[in-house]
Short mmCIF file of all heavy atoms in Angstrom, two decimals:
data_model
loop_
_atom_site.label_atom_id
_atom_site.label_comp_id
_atom_site.label_asym_id
_atom_site.label_seq_id
_atom_site.Cartn_x
_atom_site.Cartn_y
_atom_site.Cartn_z
N MET A 1068 -2.57 -7.02 -10.37
CA MET A 1068 -3.43 -6.02 -9.63
C MET A 1068 -3.36 -4.69 -10.25
O MET A 1068 -2.30 -4.12 -10.53
CB MET A 1068 -2.94 -5.93 -8.20
CG MET A 1068 -3.16 -7.26 -7.36
SD MET A 1068 -4.59 -7.23 -6.41
CE MET A 1068 -4.07 -6.11 -5.06
N ALA A 1069 -4.56 -4.13 -10.55
CA ALA A 1069 -4.59 -2.83 -11.20
C ALA A 1069 -4.74 -1.77 -10.05
O ALA A 1069 -5.34 -2.02 -9.06
CB ALA A 1069 -5.76 -2.76 -12.08
N THR A 1070 -4.04 -0.71 -10.30
CA THR A 1070 -4.17 0.46 -9.39
C THR A 1070 -4.70 1.66 -10.12
O THR A 1070 -4.16 2.06 -11.10
CB THR A 1070 -2.80 0.80 -8.83
OG1 THR A 1070 -2.26 -0.31 -8.10
CG2 THR A 1070 -2.91 1.94 -7.83
N VAL A 1071 -5.81 2.14 -9.63
CA VAL A 1071 -6.48 3.31 -10.26
C VAL A 1071 -6.31 4.48 -9.33
O VAL A 1071 -6.70 4.46 -8.13
CB VAL A 1071 -7.98 3.03 -10.54
CG1 VAL A 1071 -8.61 4.28 -11.12
CG2 VAL A 1071 -8.13 1.83 -11.44
N HIS A 1072 -5.74 5.52 -9.88
CA HIS A 1072 -5.62 6.78 -9.06
C HIS A 1072 -6.65 7.72 -9.42
O HIS A 1072 -6.95 7.99 -10.58
CB HIS A 1072 -4.20 7.37 -9.34
CG HIS A 1072 -3.14 6.65 -8.78
ND1 HIS A 1072 -2.51 7.05 -7.52
CD2 HIS A 1072 -2.42 5.59 -9.14
CE1 HIS A 1072 -1.56 6.13 -7.27
NE2 HIS A 1072 -1.48 5.28 -8.19
N VAL A 1073 -7.37 8.30 -8.42
CA VAL A 1073 -8.31 9.38 -8.64
C VAL A 1073 -7.71 10.67 -8.06
O VAL A 1073 -7.49 10.74 -6.87
CB VAL A 1073 -9.64 9.00 -7.91
CG1 VAL A 1073 -10.67 10.18 -8.12
CG2 VAL A 1073 -10.19 7.76 -8.38
N VAL A 1074 -7.36 11.49 -8.99
CA VAL A 1074 -6.63 12.73 -8.59
C VAL A 1074 -7.46 13.95 -8.88
O VAL A 1074 -8.04 14.08 -9.97
CB VAL A 1074 -5.31 12.76 -9.38
CG1 VAL A 1074 -4.50 13.99 -8.98
CG2 VAL A 1074 -4.50 11.51 -9.14
N PRO A 1075 -7.56 14.85 -7.93
CA PRO A 1075 -8.31 16.11 -8.19
C PRO A 1075 -7.64 16.94 -9.33
O PRO A 1075 -6.44 16.97 -9.35
CB PRO A 1075 -8.17 16.88 -6.84
CG PRO A 1075 -7.86 15.79 -5.87
CD PRO A 1075 -7.06 14.80 -6.57
N VAL A 1076 -8.50 17.42 -10.17
CA VAL A 1076 -7.93 18.19 -11.26
C VAL A 1076 -7.67 19.64 -10.82
O VAL A 1076 -8.40 20.15 -9.97
CB VAL A 1076 -8.84 18.22 -12.50
CG1 VAL A 1076 -8.91 16.80 -13.13
CG2 VAL A 1076 -10.20 18.70 -12.15
N ASN A 1077 -6.66 20.25 -11.46
CA ASN A 1077 -6.38 21.61 -11.08
C ASN A 1077 -6.09 21.90 -9.62
O ASN A 1077 -6.53 22.91 -9.04
CB ASN A 1077 -7.48 22.64 -11.53
CG ASN A 1077 -7.64 22.45 -13.11
OD1 ASN A 1077 -6.69 22.41 -13.81
ND2 ASN A 1077 -8.84 22.57 -13.54
N ASP A 1078 -5.47 20.91 -8.95
CA ASP A 1078 -5.25 21.08 -7.55
C ASP A 1078 -4.02 21.95 -7.32
O ASP A 1078 -3.28 22.26 -8.25
CB ASP A 1078 -5.02 19.73 -6.90
CG ASP A 1078 -5.26 19.77 -5.36
OD1 ASP A 1078 -5.74 20.81 -4.89
OD2 ASP A 1078 -5.01 18.76 -4.69
N LEU A 1079 -3.85 22.38 -6.12
CA LEU A 1079 -2.77 23.32 -5.75
C LEU A 1079 -1.38 22.65 -5.76
O LEU A 1079 -0.37 23.29 -5.83
CB LEU A 1079 -3.01 24.01 -4.43
CG LEU A 1079 -4.38 24.77 -4.36
CD1 LEU A 1079 -4.50 25.34 -2.94
CD2 LEU A 1079 -4.36 25.87 -5.39
N ILE A 1080 -1.40 21.40 -5.62
CA ILE A 1080 -0.15 20.64 -5.56
C ILE A 1080 -0.09 19.57 -6.71
O ILE A 1080 -1.11 19.25 -7.31
CB ILE A 1080 0.02 19.94 -4.23
CG1 ILE A 1080 -1.10 18.87 -4.06
CG2 ILE A 1080 0.08 20.89 -3.05
CD1 ILE A 1080 -0.84 17.92 -2.83
N GLU A 1081 1.10 19.03 -6.88
CA GLU A 1081 1.26 17.95 -7.82
C GLU A 1081 1.11 16.64 -7.04
O GLU A 1081 1.73 16.42 -6.10
CB GLU A 1081 2.61 18.00 -8.43
CG GLU A 1081 2.62 18.61 -9.88
CD GLU A 1081 3.93 18.40 -10.58
OE1 GLU A 1081 4.46 17.30 -10.64
OE2 GLU A 1081 4.50 19.50 -10.94
N HIS A 1082 0.27 15.81 -7.62
CA HIS A 1082 0.04 14.45 -6.99
C HIS A 1082 0.93 13.41 -7.66
O HIS A 1082 1.12 13.47 -8.90
CB HIS A 1082 -1.40 14.06 -7.04
CG HIS A 1082 -2.30 14.92 -6.21
ND1 HIS A 1082 -2.68 14.62 -4.96
CD2 HIS A 1082 -2.98 16.01 -6.54
CE1 HIS A 1082 -3.47 15.54 -4.47
NE2 HIS A 1082 -3.70 16.43 -5.42
N ASP A 1083 1.38 12.49 -6.84
CA ASP A 1083 2.17 11.41 -7.33
C ASP A 1083 1.24 10.26 -7.72
O ASP A 1083 0.86 9.50 -6.85
CB ASP A 1083 3.18 11.01 -6.31
CG ASP A 1083 4.06 9.83 -6.84
OD1 ASP A 1083 3.95 9.50 -8.07
OD2 ASP A 1083 4.87 9.27 -6.05
N SER A 1084 0.88 10.16 -9.03
CA SER A 1084 0.03 9.05 -9.42
C SER A 1084 0.77 8.11 -10.35
O SER A 1084 0.20 7.44 -11.20
CB SER A 1084 -1.17 9.64 -10.18
OG SER A 1084 -0.79 10.39 -11.29
N SER A 1085 2.06 8.04 -10.12
CA SER A 1085 2.89 7.18 -11.02
C SER A 1085 2.79 5.78 -10.52
O SER A 1085 3.54 4.90 -11.09
CB SER A 1085 4.37 7.76 -10.97
OG SER A 1085 4.85 7.68 -9.62
N GLY A 1086 2.06 5.43 -9.49
CA GLY A 1086 1.94 4.07 -9.08
C GLY A 1086 2.20 3.85 -7.63
O GLY A 1086 1.61 2.92 -7.03
N GLY A 1087 3.02 4.68 -7.03
CA GLY A 1087 3.20 4.64 -5.59
C GLY A 1087 1.96 5.20 -4.81
O GLY A 1087 1.14 5.90 -5.39
N GLN A 1088 1.87 4.93 -3.51
CA GLN A 1088 0.78 5.50 -2.76
C GLN A 1088 1.38 6.33 -1.69
O GLN A 1088 0.79 6.44 -0.63
CB GLN A 1088 0.01 4.19 -2.15
CG GLN A 1088 -0.54 3.31 -3.17
CD GLN A 1088 -1.04 2.03 -2.63
OE1 GLN A 1088 -0.98 1.78 -1.39
NE2 GLN A 1088 -1.41 1.10 -3.52
N ASP A 1089 2.47 6.99 -1.97
CA ASP A 1089 3.09 7.82 -1.01
C ASP A 1089 2.94 9.26 -1.40
O ASP A 1089 3.95 10.05 -1.23
CB ASP A 1089 4.61 7.46 -0.82
CG ASP A 1089 4.71 5.99 -0.41
OD1 ASP A 1089 3.89 5.61 0.47
OD2 ASP A 1089 5.65 5.36 -0.84
N CYS A 1090 1.84 9.63 -1.92
CA CYS A 1090 1.59 10.97 -2.30
C CYS A 1090 1.55 11.88 -1.06
O CYS A 1090 1.21 11.47 0.02
CB CYS A 1090 0.27 11.14 -3.12
SG CYS A 1090 0.06 12.78 -3.77
N VAL A 1091 1.87 13.15 -1.25
CA VAL A 1091 1.92 14.11 -0.14
C VAL A 1091 0.55 14.38 0.47
O VAL A 1091 0.46 14.73 1.61
CB VAL A 1091 2.57 15.42 -0.61
CG1 VAL A 1091 1.66 16.12 -1.64
CG2 VAL A 1091 2.90 16.33 0.58
N CYS A 1092 -0.50 14.08 -0.25
CA CYS A 1092 -1.84 14.36 0.24
C CYS A 1092 -2.36 13.22 1.15
O CYS A 1092 -3.45 13.35 1.73
CB CYS A 1092 -2.81 14.58 -0.98
SG CYS A 1092 -3.19 13.03 -1.80
N GLY A 1093 -1.61 12.15 1.20
CA GLY A 1093 -2.06 11.03 2.04
C GLY A 1093 -3.29 10.39 1.49
O GLY A 1093 -4.39 10.42 2.15
N PRO A 1094 -3.22 9.77 0.38
CA PRO A 1094 -4.36 9.19 -0.42
C PRO A 1094 -5.03 8.03 0.39
O PRO A 1094 -4.28 7.32 1.13
CB PRO A 1094 -3.83 8.80 -1.72
CG PRO A 1094 -2.39 8.59 -1.54
CD PRO A 1094 -1.96 9.59 -0.47
N THR A 1095 -6.23 7.84 0.19
CA THR A 1095 -6.95 6.70 0.72
C THR A 1095 -6.93 5.56 -0.21
O THR A 1095 -7.34 5.69 -1.37
CB THR A 1095 -8.46 7.07 1.09
OG1 THR A 1095 -8.38 8.20 2.02
CG2 THR A 1095 -9.14 5.91 1.74
N THR A 1096 -6.45 4.40 0.23
CA THR A 1096 -6.39 3.22 -0.61
C THR A 1096 -7.42 2.23 -0.18
O THR A 1096 -7.53 1.84 0.97
CB THR A 1096 -5.01 2.60 -0.53
OG1 THR A 1096 -4.07 3.57 -0.89
CG2 THR A 1096 -4.88 1.43 -1.55
N GLU A 1097 -8.23 1.75 -1.11
CA GLU A 1097 -9.22 0.74 -0.81
C GLU A 1097 -9.25 -0.30 -1.96
O GLU A 1097 -9.10 -0.01 -3.09
CB GLU A 1097 -10.55 1.37 -0.62
CG GLU A 1097 -11.04 2.17 -1.77
CD GLU A 1097 -12.36 2.84 -1.46
OE1 GLU A 1097 -13.26 2.13 -0.90
OE2 GLU A 1097 -12.54 4.02 -1.82
N PRO A 1098 -9.53 -1.55 -1.57
CA PRO A 1098 -9.62 -2.59 -2.54
C PRO A 1098 -10.94 -2.52 -3.33
O PRO A 1098 -11.99 -2.20 -2.78
CB PRO A 1098 -9.53 -3.92 -1.78
CG PRO A 1098 -10.04 -3.49 -0.46
CD PRO A 1098 -9.69 -2.06 -0.19
N VAL A 1099 -10.87 -2.68 -4.63
CA VAL A 1099 -12.11 -2.70 -5.47
C VAL A 1099 -12.08 -3.89 -6.39
O VAL A 1099 -11.00 -4.27 -6.94
CB VAL A 1099 -12.20 -1.38 -6.29
CG1 VAL A 1099 -12.50 -0.22 -5.45
CG2 VAL A 1099 -10.96 -1.14 -7.07
N PRO A 1100 -13.24 -4.53 -6.59
CA PRO A 1100 -13.28 -5.66 -7.46
C PRO A 1100 -13.23 -5.22 -8.92
O PRO A 1100 -13.95 -4.27 -9.34
CB PRO A 1100 -14.61 -6.33 -7.17
CG PRO A 1100 -15.46 -5.21 -6.56
CD PRO A 1100 -14.47 -4.25 -5.89
N GLY A 1101 -12.46 -5.85 -9.72
CA GLY A 1101 -12.38 -5.51 -11.16
C GLY A 1101 -13.50 -6.28 -11.97
O GLY A 1101 -14.20 -7.13 -11.47
N GLU A 1102 -13.60 -5.87 -13.21
CA GLU A 1102 -14.68 -6.41 -14.04
C GLU A 1102 -14.43 -7.90 -14.26
O GLU A 1102 -15.40 -8.68 -14.52
CB GLU A 1102 -14.70 -5.71 -15.37
CG GLU A 1102 -15.18 -4.29 -15.23
CD GLU A 1102 -15.21 -3.59 -16.55
OE1 GLU A 1102 -14.83 -4.19 -17.52
OE2 GLU A 1102 -15.70 -2.41 -16.62
N ASP A 1103 -13.22 -8.35 -14.22
CA ASP A 1103 -12.92 -9.74 -14.55
C ASP A 1103 -12.84 -10.59 -13.31
O ASP A 1103 -12.41 -11.73 -13.29
CB ASP A 1103 -11.63 -9.85 -15.37
CG ASP A 1103 -10.40 -9.24 -14.56
OD1 ASP A 1103 -10.63 -8.70 -13.45
OD2 ASP A 1103 -9.31 -9.29 -15.08
N GLY A 1104 -13.23 -10.04 -12.14
CA GLY A 1104 -13.26 -10.75 -10.89
C GLY A 1104 -12.03 -10.56 -10.10
O GLY A 1104 -11.99 -10.98 -8.91
N SER A 1105 -10.90 -9.99 -10.66
CA SER A 1105 -9.76 -9.80 -9.86
C SER A 1105 -9.93 -8.53 -9.03
O SER A 1105 -10.78 -7.72 -9.24
CB SER A 1105 -8.54 -9.60 -10.79
OG SER A 1105 -8.67 -8.47 -11.58
N MET A 1106 -9.04 -8.46 -8.11
CA MET A 1106 -9.06 -7.19 -7.18
C MET A 1106 -8.12 -6.20 -7.65
O MET A 1106 -7.01 -6.45 -8.07
CB MET A 1106 -8.82 -7.63 -5.74
CG MET A 1106 -9.91 -8.53 -5.16
SD MET A 1106 -11.48 -7.82 -5.08
CE MET A 1106 -11.23 -6.52 -3.85
N GLY A 1107 -8.51 -4.93 -7.51
CA GLY A 1107 -7.62 -3.85 -7.78
C GLY A 1107 -7.59 -2.86 -6.58
O GLY A 1107 -8.29 -3.06 -5.56
N TRP A 1108 -6.80 -1.84 -6.76
CA TRP A 1108 -6.78 -0.80 -5.72
C TRP A 1108 -7.21 0.50 -6.24
O TRP A 1108 -6.75 0.96 -7.37
CB TRP A 1108 -5.29 -0.70 -5.24
CG TRP A 1108 -4.85 -1.83 -4.46
CD1 TRP A 1108 -4.03 -2.84 -4.92
CD2 TRP A 1108 -5.14 -2.24 -3.12
NE1 TRP A 1108 -3.86 -3.85 -4.00
CE2 TRP A 1108 -4.54 -3.45 -2.87
CE3 TRP A 1108 -5.98 -1.69 -2.16
CZ2 TRP A 1108 -4.61 -4.12 -1.61
CZ3 TRP A 1108 -6.09 -2.26 -0.92
CH2 TRP A 1108 -5.40 -3.50 -0.67
N LEU A 1109 -8.02 1.19 -5.44
CA LEU A 1109 -8.45 2.51 -5.86
C LEU A 1109 -7.80 3.50 -4.88
O LEU A 1109 -7.97 3.39 -3.65
CB LEU A 1109 -10.00 2.63 -5.64
CG LEU A 1109 -10.53 4.03 -5.89
CD1 LEU A 1109 -10.32 4.53 -7.29
CD2 LEU A 1109 -12.01 4.06 -5.51
N VAL A 1110 -6.94 4.37 -5.40
CA VAL A 1110 -6.22 5.26 -4.63
C VAL A 1110 -6.86 6.65 -4.77
O VAL A 1110 -6.75 7.31 -5.88
CB VAL A 1110 -4.75 5.37 -5.04
CG1 VAL A 1110 -3.97 6.34 -4.11
CG2 VAL A 1110 -4.07 3.95 -4.96
N SER A 1111 -7.60 7.03 -3.73
CA SER A 1111 -8.24 8.38 -3.84
C SER A 1111 -7.39 9.46 -3.22
O SER A 1111 -7.17 9.55 -2.04
CB SER A 1111 -9.58 8.30 -3.11
OG SER A 1111 -10.37 7.28 -3.69
N HIS A 1112 -6.94 10.39 -4.10
CA HIS A 1112 -6.10 11.51 -3.61
C HIS A 1112 -7.04 12.59 -3.09
O HIS A 1112 -8.21 12.76 -3.52
CB HIS A 1112 -5.25 12.05 -4.78
CG HIS A 1112 -4.22 11.10 -5.20
ND1 HIS A 1112 -2.88 11.29 -4.92
CD2 HIS A 1112 -4.31 9.95 -5.90
CE1 HIS A 1112 -2.17 10.34 -5.47
NE2 HIS A 1112 -3.02 9.42 -6.09
N HIS A 1113 -6.52 13.36 -2.16
CA HIS A 1113 -7.32 14.33 -1.51
C HIS A 1113 -6.90 15.75 -2.06
O HIS A 1113 -5.70 16.09 -2.04
CB HIS A 1113 -7.16 14.33 0.01
CG HIS A 1113 -7.59 12.97 0.59
ND1 HIS A 1113 -8.86 12.60 0.64
CD2 HIS A 1113 -6.86 11.92 1.06
CE1 HIS A 1113 -8.93 11.36 1.22
NE2 HIS A 1113 -7.70 10.91 1.48
N SER A 1114 -7.89 16.50 -2.36
CA SER A 1114 -7.62 17.85 -2.77
C SER A 1114 -7.18 18.68 -1.57
O SER A 1114 -7.79 18.58 -0.52
CB SER A 1114 -8.83 18.48 -3.43
OG SER A 1114 -8.62 19.84 -3.64
N LEU A 1115 -6.22 19.54 -1.74
CA LEU A 1115 -5.79 20.30 -0.60
C LEU A 1115 -6.42 21.69 -0.52
O LEU A 1115 -6.06 22.55 0.22
CB LEU A 1115 -4.27 20.49 -0.71
CG LEU A 1115 -3.47 19.20 -0.47
CD1 LEU A 1115 -1.98 19.51 -0.36
CD2 LEU A 1115 -3.90 18.43 0.72
N ASP A 1116 -7.34 21.96 -1.42
CA ASP A 1116 -8.05 23.21 -1.42
C ASP A 1116 -9.47 23.08 -0.80
O ASP A 1116 -10.31 24.00 -1.01
CB ASP A 1116 -8.08 23.83 -2.81
CG ASP A 1116 -8.78 23.05 -3.83
OD1 ASP A 1116 -9.46 22.03 -3.45
OD2 ASP A 1116 -8.75 23.36 -4.99
N GLY A 1117 -9.75 21.93 -0.26
CA GLY A 1117 -11.00 21.81 0.46
C GLY A 1117 -12.11 21.07 -0.26
O GLY A 1117 -13.12 20.78 0.38
N ARG A 1118 -11.93 20.74 -1.44
CA ARG A 1118 -12.93 20.11 -2.20
C ARG A 1118 -13.01 18.64 -1.78
O ARG A 1118 -11.99 18.06 -1.50
CB ARG A 1118 -12.69 20.20 -3.77
CG ARG A 1118 -13.05 21.57 -4.24
CD ARG A 1118 -12.68 21.60 -5.76
NE ARG A 1118 -11.24 21.38 -5.91
CZ ARG A 1118 -10.70 21.02 -7.06
NH1 ARG A 1118 -11.49 20.76 -8.11
NH2 ARG A 1118 -9.42 20.86 -7.16
N GLU A 1119 -14.20 18.10 -1.89
CA GLU A 1119 -14.37 16.64 -1.64
C GLU A 1119 -14.45 15.95 -3.00
O GLU A 1119 -14.92 16.52 -3.94
CB GLU A 1119 -15.60 16.36 -0.89
CG GLU A 1119 -15.45 16.39 0.60
CD GLU A 1119 -14.53 15.34 1.16
OE1 GLU A 1119 -14.50 14.26 0.62
OE2 GLU A 1119 -13.66 15.68 2.07
N LEU A 1120 -13.81 14.81 -3.07
CA LEU A 1120 -13.83 14.12 -4.33
C LEU A 1120 -14.69 12.83 -4.25
O LEU A 1120 -14.62 12.15 -3.26
CB LEU A 1120 -12.41 13.72 -4.68
CG LEU A 1120 -12.16 13.10 -6.03
CD1 LEU A 1120 -12.39 14.11 -7.16
CD2 LEU A 1120 -10.77 12.51 -6.08
N ARG A 1121 -15.51 12.73 -5.26
CA ARG A 1121 -16.40 11.52 -5.23
C ARG A 1121 -16.05 10.63 -6.45
O ARG A 1121 -16.01 11.10 -7.52
CB ARG A 1121 -17.87 11.97 -5.34
CG ARG A 1121 -18.35 12.75 -4.09
CD ARG A 1121 -18.33 11.85 -2.84
NE ARG A 1121 -18.80 12.69 -1.67
CZ ARG A 1121 -18.77 12.18 -0.44
NH1 ARG A 1121 -18.33 10.96 -0.23
NH2 ARG A 1121 -19.17 12.93 0.61
N GLU A 1122 -15.99 9.40 -6.18
CA GLU A 1122 -15.80 8.42 -7.22
C GLU A 1122 -17.09 8.05 -7.80
O GLU A 1122 -18.08 7.62 -7.08
CB GLU A 1122 -15.09 7.18 -6.69
CG GLU A 1122 -15.10 6.02 -7.62
CD GLU A 1122 -14.21 6.22 -8.88
OE1 GLU A 1122 -13.52 7.31 -8.86
OE2 GLU A 1122 -14.34 5.45 -9.78
N GLN A 1123 -17.29 8.25 -9.09
CA GLN A 1123 -18.63 8.04 -9.66
C GLN A 1123 -18.64 6.84 -10.63
O GLN A 1123 -19.58 6.59 -11.36
CB GLN A 1123 -19.07 9.32 -10.47
CG GLN A 1123 -19.21 10.44 -9.53
CD GLN A 1123 -19.57 11.72 -10.28
OE1 GLN A 1123 -19.43 11.80 -11.44
NE2 GLN A 1123 -20.11 12.68 -9.42
N ARG A 1124 -17.52 6.14 -10.71
CA ARG A 1124 -17.40 5.03 -11.67
C ARG A 1124 -18.18 3.82 -11.10
O ARG A 1124 -18.17 3.62 -9.87
CB ARG A 1124 -15.93 4.64 -11.82
CG ARG A 1124 -15.75 3.68 -13.00
CD ARG A 1124 -14.25 3.66 -13.35
NE ARG A 1124 -13.44 3.36 -12.07
CZ ARG A 1124 -13.14 2.12 -11.66
NH1 ARG A 1124 -13.58 1.13 -12.29
NH2 ARG A 1124 -12.37 1.96 -10.62
N ARG A 1125 -18.91 3.05 -11.91
CA ARG A 1125 -19.68 1.91 -11.49
C ARG A 1125 -19.23 0.71 -12.25
O ARG A 1125 -19.05 0.82 -13.39
CB ARG A 1125 -21.15 2.14 -11.74
CG ARG A 1125 -21.64 3.24 -10.80
CD ARG A 1125 -23.17 3.32 -10.94
NE ARG A 1125 -23.67 4.48 -10.20
CZ ARG A 1125 -24.00 4.33 -8.88
NH1 ARG A 1125 -23.85 3.24 -8.26
NH2 ARG A 1125 -24.39 5.45 -8.25
ZN1 ZN B 251 -2.24 13.05 -3.98
#
């Protein structure tokens, strides 16, 4: 299972994208289908300065 972290750049805090999902920002984890048919996890970290983050990968 692949885990992809989407982390806001230049955020005010350091995000833990080392593989765990216990970042201080309380990231949203959702299952996503991989290109080879397997399932992976998309971990969307939240910016703490108010910005919204959009995943644009297709
Ligand atoms: Zn985070």
Side-chain angles (χ1 to χ4, degrees):
M1068 293 260 289
T1070 302
V1071 178
H1072 287 261
V1073 181
V1074 181
V1076 295
N1077 298 324
D1078 202 8
L1079 300 177
I1080 62 169
E1081 257 188 58
H1082 291 271
D1083 180 9
S1084 60
S1085 60
Q1088 298 165 8
D1089 298 322
C1090 185
V1091 66
C1092 72
T1095 301
T1096 305
E1097 55 182 319
V1099 289
E1102 293 180 357
D1103 59 356
S1105 65
M1106 295 298 291
W1108 292 102
L1109 175 66
V1110 183
S1111 299
H1112 292 254
H1113 300 288
S1114 171
L1115 295 188
D1116 62 9
R1118 287 175 297 161
E1119 276 295 323
L1120 186 69
R1121 295 293 178 187
E1122 167 67 9
Q1123 298 178 341
R1124 192 165 52 88
R1125 295 186 185 273

